[in-house]
Amino acid sequence: MSESSKLQTAALDWELIDGIEVPISKQFGDVYFSKDNGLLETRHVFLNGNDLSERLSQLNDYQYFCVGETGFGTGLNILALWQLWRQIRPENHSHLHAISVEKFPLSKADLIRALNVWTELQPLAEKLIEQYPLPIAGCHRLCFPEERFSIDLWLGDAQDIFPSIAKTQAVNAWFLDGFAPSCNPDMWQENVLNHIVRLSDVGTTFASFSVAGVLKRGLKQHGIHISRPRGFGHKREMLKAIWLDVASQTDIPVLNAEENVATPQSASKATITQRKIAIIGAGIAGLSSAWAFAQRGHKVTIYEQNEPLSGASGNPLALLNPKLCPIEQAHEHLMTLSWQHALNFYPRFKAFRPIQVQQIALKNPEELLGLAEQYPETVLSAHASHEVIVIPQTAFSSLTLQQAGAVSPHQLRDEILQHPNIELKIAKISALKPATAQTELWQDQNLITTADHVIVCCAKQSAELFEKYPVLKPIRGQVSWLENSNQPLPLDQAYSYGGYCMQLNASQLLLGASFYPNRDDSNVLPDDHVHNYELIHSVFPEYAQQLASVDTWQGRASVRAQSLDYFPLVGKIQNNNEIYTFAGLGSKGFLFAPLCSEVLAALVLGELCPIPQHLLDKLNPQRFQKKVKAKKPYYSAKV
């Protein structure tokens, strides 16, 4: 098991100094912030040391600026950065993004206690605490769009995390924090510093309270120019550094980027304007993508040939019901990462309602119930078959997923389409033609429009717009709903048992869903109602026998699209144009879409991604091009 996966929260002592509670790490035997004045030290060392007042105030419209940090701790540095951003940010669409790594995250209770010291930061601290993630390894994206500010909090060991971060954009400034090298030598090892430089570029700056030899040597070997201005308080020196243009220097070794990592264009050199984004398809992939770009200030037009949610995303209610992985895999498990991000994304919409899911242990109960011992107690709890915790009662054991939710797709659609930067047009796009600077969208023989970037979100029909496209297999699914006003289930509960059931509203029960691979018919069939009945009857026989006759049920059938390796397609099919695809979400569209949309926006706009490189490679639609010897064809010819 990777050390980055076995997260422990920070163990703290508290020392009262001049009426201020100072947290001290038991793991490292060092203070989290200066006993003199931690906030003033942060401003002196990290904000002034990176010249951020000047640099941030001069950002151009739509410019992206990224600050990296080597130890999140109490979040003091990030909050001070956020406070400065509020004070000096230009009145445009520029965006500030912080990434930070933490091996021993504070518990939420300790974080609140630590940040209570800084009264002037309380409004920002409250926003941070509201989105503060569970202590589960991996990247957690915290979004504050009204502030034009976001945080990627990577939980785990820096030795594992920094090599895994994809360089889809360069970090502009670094806070080289963490405990002193004498207390926490792992943070300052060559492997970590090498990848900090890999994630940087010419013009990147570095600042640290430490001037230890290991740090200076680690930066100098990559040609980083170092100076040592006066430190804060009683400290004689601090470190201030910048990556100068190596073209004018000789005999300086430069770290080579890994072959699979894109070389970014420096944000300061790019011509940045509002982007014109065309999205084809108005299912959950298209809608969530539109939201991601619109929130960043770009103009989005969605083209839909029928009506929004006319495909697999249009069921009456969507259940966020992940199958969580063993905890040691959580940092790179798409479903677990997507579940955490979805529970941070959907609550901003009225279409969301929080629920618990009773996951019935039909197969391998010990394996399923054992997850409760691995995750935080607020996430999962296990119940033996003899415990009466499920209503209706069942003979099976169950695992309670305490943090889950349901989404009303049509209400979500309406809320997303109200965004002022999003426009919906009913039109069937039949061809895409890359031009010199933009891509042309055609309907039959008519040029409809041009766009800077095109995102194709048409599920299985996406192949119609490409010469070659990965095979997506169809999966028919039908949901059923019926009146049950005499015996409704709790509105805050859902039940998962191979199928699922939950209240659609106060008087109707929703059952789902049939699952028929390689079928693309979408008529509502009585046989599928029977299938859904048999599923619930196999687990809750007494309750099922009281349900209304199947011939009174209503339903909806649709066709999901699934890739051959079960991972969505997110990115470019070809590198020589600005046409992207987002498809192949299978039956987990509402779960995967929010996080995958953030990944897509990062790829299109040149931002750092909220997932590791290994997982980004698994989402890359071009991954199938190397599998030419596969028994099944991975690509289909254009329809």
Side-chain angles (χ1 to χ4, degrees):
M1 183 187 299
S2 170
E3 285 296 321
S4 69
S5 304
K6 300 186 294 185
L7 273 189
Q8 301 175 35
T9 53
L12 304 181
D13 284 325
W14 299 85
E15 184 175 343
L16 191 64
I17 301 175
D18 296 330
I20 294 177
E21 277 195 314
V22 177
I24 302 172
S25 168
K26 290 184 179 180
Q27 280 101 342
F28 299 106
D30 200 359
V31 295
Y32 274 87
F33 47 73
S34 169
K35 296 180 180 181
D36 296 332
N37 189 309
L39 182 55
L40 291 181
E41 181 181 47
T42 288
R43 290 169 177 159
H44 178 83
V45 174
F46 298 116
L47 304 186
N48 296 339
N50 282 290
D51 303 313
L52 291 182
S53 292
E54 179 180 2
R55 296 167 75 188
L56 294 179
S57 66
Q58 296 178 2
L59 291 180
N60 296 325
D61 202 8
Y62 295 99
Q63 190 169 359
Y64 170 87
F65 192 98
C66 183
V67 174
E69 182 185 41
T70 55
F72 184 78
T74 66
L76 178 60
N77 295 339
I78 299 300
L79 290 176
L81 171 67
W82 191 351
Q83 182 189 50
L84 174 67
W85 175 242
R86 272 190 161 187
Q87 294 167 350
I88 56 89
R89 64 190 176 199
E91 292 299 321
N92 56 27
H93 293 89
S94 53
H95 182 83
L96 176 62
H97 183 200
I99 63 169
S100 185
V101 175
E102 180 57 58
K103 183 176 182 180
F104 297 105
L106 271 67
S107 68
K108 183 173 282 191
D110 281 339
L111 182 70
I112 293 170
R113 183 177 177 182
L115 292 179
N116 278 339
V117 171
W118 314 109
T119 55
E120 65 179 284
L121 297 177
Q122 280 308 299
L124 301 180
E126 290 173 2
K127 291 176 180 286
L128 171 65
I129 290 165
E130 185 178 0
Q131 293 192 36
Y132 191 65
L134 293 163
I136 299 174
C139 181
H140 305 264
R141 173 157 290 187
L142 318 181
C143 296
F144 309 93
E146 69 284 354
E147 303 276 345
R148 305 189 342 251
F149 180 61
S150 56
I151 304 169
D152 282 354
L153 181 51
W154 292 78
L155 299 184
D157 194 322
Q159 296 274 2
D160 298 321
I161 288 176
F162 280 114
S164 76
I165 298 177
K167 188 178 181 181
T168 48
Q169 183 53 267
V171 175
N172 302 99
W174 283 98
F175 297 171
L176 301 181
D177 200 1
F179 298 107
S182 59
C183 300
N184 183 19
D186 288 348
M187 179 66 82
W188 308 92
Q189 293 300 307
E190 182 178 4
N191 177 53
V192 173
L193 293 175
N194 282 351
H195 283 283
I196 285 173
V197 174
R198 175 182 66 84
L199 294 168
S200 306
D201 202 350
V202 173
T204 298
T205 59
F206 310 79
S208 178
F209 62 86
S210 174
V211 290
V214 63
L215 176 58
K216 291 184 292 183
R217 291 190 298 272
L219 293 176
K220 282 182 177 179
Q221 71 172 336
H222 297 296
I224 308 300
H225 176 75
I226 293 174
S227 60
R228 294 178 294 179
R230 181 172 180 80
F232 175 77
H234 66 279
K235 296 181 180 179
R236 185 165 57 91
E237 295 178 321
M238 58 171 278
L239 181 141
K240 183 175 181 178
I242 185 170
W243 185 345
L244 298 174
D245 186 354
V246 298
S248 61
Q249 304 179 43
T250 59
D251 300 325
I252 297 175
V254 179
L255 181 70
N256 291 323
E258 298 175 4
E259 290 184 357
N260 64 344
V261 176
T263 302
Q265 183 181 26
S266 174
S268 61
K269 299 177 182 178
T271 301
I272 304 161
T273 59
Q274 185 183 49
R275 312 292 178 88
K276 184 179 178 183
I277 312 290
I279 294 177
I280 305 174
I284 187 57
L287 290 171
S288 61
S289 298
W291 183 264
F293 289 109
Q295 287 289 85
R296 289 163 167 81
H298 298 287
K299 286 293 185 183
V300 181
T301 303
I302 303 175
Y303 295 90
E304 168 60 48
Q305 64 176 329
N306 298 309
E307 293 293 332
L309 301 179
S310 57
S313 302
N315 287 340
L317 198 62
L319 177 63
L320 304 178
N321 179 36
K323 182 179 180 182
L324 299 184
C325 65
I327 195 68
E328 66 269 16
Q329 302 169 13
H331 61 292
E332 59 179 10
H333 187 252
L334 180 62
M335 192 173 297
T336 301
L337 295 172
S338 295
W339 156 70
Q340 294 172 87
H341 186 78
L343 291 183
N344 203 14
F345 173 81
Y346 286 117
R348 70 193 68 189
F349 298 100
K350 296 178 181 178
F352 175 79
R353 82 172 187 237
I355 59 172
Q356 295 183 347
V357 179
Q358 305 290 345
Q359 297 181 341
I360 309 302
L362 299 178
K363 299 179 180 179
N364 303 318
E366 292 183 0
E367 179 180 328
L368 179 65
L369 302 183
L371 293 174
E373 300 177 0
Q374 303 177 30
Y375 282 81
E377 60 182 12
T378 57
V379 175
L380 296 173
S381 55
H383 306 278
S385 58
H386 65 273
E387 295 180 287
V388 182
I389 51 86
V390 175
I391 301 175
Q393 295 185 25
T394 180
F396 295 95
S397 303
S398 66
L399 183 73
T400 302
L401 176 60
Q402 300 173 47
Q403 300 193 27
V407 180
S408 173
H410 296 84
Q411 187 175 358
L412 178 70
R413 170 205 63 193
D414 294 344
E415 291 184 72
I416 288 177
L417 292 179
Q418 288 174 4
H419 197 291
N421 288 339
I422 298 176
E423 180 182 10
L424 172 69
K425 291 187 177 181
I426 304 300
K428 177 177 173 58
I429 303 301
S430 56
L432 301 174
K433 299 179 181 180
T436 303
Q438 292 185 315
T439 298
E440 298 175 347
L441 284 73
W442 289 74
Q443 182 175 16
D444 299 326
Q445 303 302 314
N446 300 316
L447 175 62
I448 299 297
T449 189
T450 60
D452 298 309
H453 313 279
V454 178
I455 320 296
V456 180
C457 305
C458 302
K460 196 171 184 298
Q461 285 69 45
S462 298
E464 298 176 9
L465 294 172
F466 295 90
E467 290 297 327
K468 290 184 177 181
Y469 195 81
V471 169
L472 295 177
K473 61 182 179 181
I475 301 173
R476 171 191 164 83
Q478 180 174 309
V479 296
S480 308
W481 60 92
L482 60 141
E483 294 294 327
N484 74 330
S485 56
N486 293 331
Q487 48 180 346
L489 301 176
L491 281 168
D492 62 351
Q493 299 288 320
Y495 306 88
S496 172
Y497 44 84
Y500 65 87
C501 67
M502 58 182 167
Q503 286 297 128
L504 177 58
N505 49 48
S507 63
Q508 290 183 306
L509 179 70
L510 180 68
L511 301 174
S514 61
F515 189 90
Y516 295 110
N518 300 314
R519 281 182 56 180
D520 57 7
D521 54 304
S522 58
N523 294 327
V524 175
L525 302 176
D527 286 349
D528 282 31
H529 286 323
V530 172
H531 170 86
N532 290 338
Y533 174 81
E534 290 175 345
L535 277 177
I536 189 172
H537 186 273
S538 67
V539 179
F540 306 117
E542 293 184 9
Y543 183 79
Q545 289 171 5
Q546 302 174 47
L547 296 177
S549 174
V550 169
D551 57 18
T552 67
W553 292 12
Q554 301 178 69
R556 183 179 188 273
S558 58
V559 180
R560 313 160 188 137
Q562 180 78 69
S563 71
L564 297 183
D565 62 3
Y566 303 100
F567 282 92
L569 311 177
V570 184
K572 288 185 177 183
I573 297 293
Q574 294 181 312
N575 289 328
N576 61 355
N577 57 52
E578 283 300 310
I579 304 174
Y580 298 75
T581 190
F582 181 17
L585 282 72
S587 60
K588 298 297 182 182
F590 282 84
L591 194 66
F592 288 151
L595 180 59
C596 288
S597 294
E598 284 294 304
V599 172
L600 182 64
L603 295 175
V604 173
L605 301 175
E607 303 174 358
L608 282 176
C609 280
I611 59 173
Q613 179 74 53
H614 174 67
L615 192 51
L616 185 60
D617 291 341
K618 287 187 175 182
L619 298 178
N620 187 344
Q622 299 178 33
R623 64 188 184 268
F624 296 116
Q625 294 179 5
K626 300 177 182 179
K627 301 181 183 290
V628 294
K629 296 182 180 180
K631 293 182 180 179
K632 295 182 179 180
Y634 281 88
Y635 274 79
S636 60
K638 184 175 179 180
V639 177

